């Protein structure tokens, strides 16, 4: 049985992101895509538009000095334009480390990602890592 197209799209985007291939990630998103990053820190909030999302992703890599590692564990879909991914994320930033699970809820329209809601396993650890 073939993989559902929404599941394949999200898997491709997550794999490209984990490899630092932001050019490919960009091609898989609509121009008006939004990424909602949780937390209470400088990078949290609603990143509106593909360019803003790409700026966010570059910042995540820069802030961690290239130590950001995101291992995709699974992708689920509902067959109606929604998919969820679960990841194991590890990173270092200054003298801080982060080792946690994250999840993303994707909305897919016309074969492209239009919206990403991110959730984290431990919001307090997340804020402590990304905060000042």
């Amino acid at each position: 049985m073939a993989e559902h197209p929404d599941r394949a799209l999200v898997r491709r985007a997550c794999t490209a992101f984990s490899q630092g291939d932001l050019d490919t990630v960009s091609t898989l998103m609509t121009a008006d895509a939004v990424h909602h990053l949780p937390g209470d820190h400088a990078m949290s909030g609603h990143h509106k538009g593909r360019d803003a999302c790409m700026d966010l992703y570059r910042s995540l890599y820069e802030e961690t000095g290239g130590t950001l590692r995101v291992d995709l564990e699974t992708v689920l879909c509902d067959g109606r334009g929604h998919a969820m991914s679960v990841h194991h994320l590890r990173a270092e930033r200054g003298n801080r480390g982060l080792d946690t699970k994250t999840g993303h809820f994707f909305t897919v329209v016309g074969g492209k990602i239009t919206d990403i809601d991110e959730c984290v396993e431990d919001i307090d650890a997340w804020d402590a890592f990304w905060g000042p």
Side-chain angles (χ1 to χ4, degrees), residues 65-86:
T67 65
L68 181 67
R69 298 288 175 259
V70 182
D71 297 318
L72 179 63
E73 293 185 355
T74 193
V75 177
L76 312 169
C77 78
D78 69 359
R80 297 179 292 116
H82 302 107
M84 294 178 5
S85 62
V86 177

Side-chain angles (χ1 to χ4, degrees), residues 54-124:
M54 292 303 110
D55 288 344
L56 168 65
Y57 305 153
R58 280 188 286 278
S59 293
L60 295 173
Y61 278 105
E62 289 169 7
E63 287 290 322
T64 60
T67 65
L68 181 67
R69 298 288 175 259
V70 182
D71 297 318
L72 179 63
E73 293 185 355
T74 193
V75 177
L76 312 169
C77 78
D78 69 359
R80 297 179 292 116
H82 302 107
M84 294 178 5
S85 62
V86 177
H87 313 263
H88 184 183
L89 181 145
R90 291 178 298 280
E92 295 176 12
R93 185 170 179 248
N95 62 352
R96 294 174 261 185
L98 186 63
D99 187 342
T100 192
K101 297 260 186 179
T102 63
H104 296 79
F105 182 81
F106 294 85
T107 301
V108 177
V109 176
K112 298 265 185 172
I113 296 164
T114 63
D115 195 83
I116 306 168
D117 279 299
E118 186 164 347
C119 296
V120 298
E121 183 176 49
D122 183 340
I123 194 71
D124 292 330

Side-chain angles (χ1 to χ4, degrees), residues 29-64:
M29 302 173 79
T30 61
D32 62 348
V34 180
H35 189 131
H36 310 275
L37 192 69
D40 185 17
H41 51 83
M43 288 189 291
S44 63
H46 310 289
H47 301 268
K48 298 177 181 180
R50 181 175 41 225
D51 292 342
C53 292
M54 292 303 110
D55 288 344
L56 168 65
Y57 305 153
R58 280 188 286 278
S59 293
L60 295 173
Y61 278 105
E62 289 169 7
E63 287 290 322
T64 60

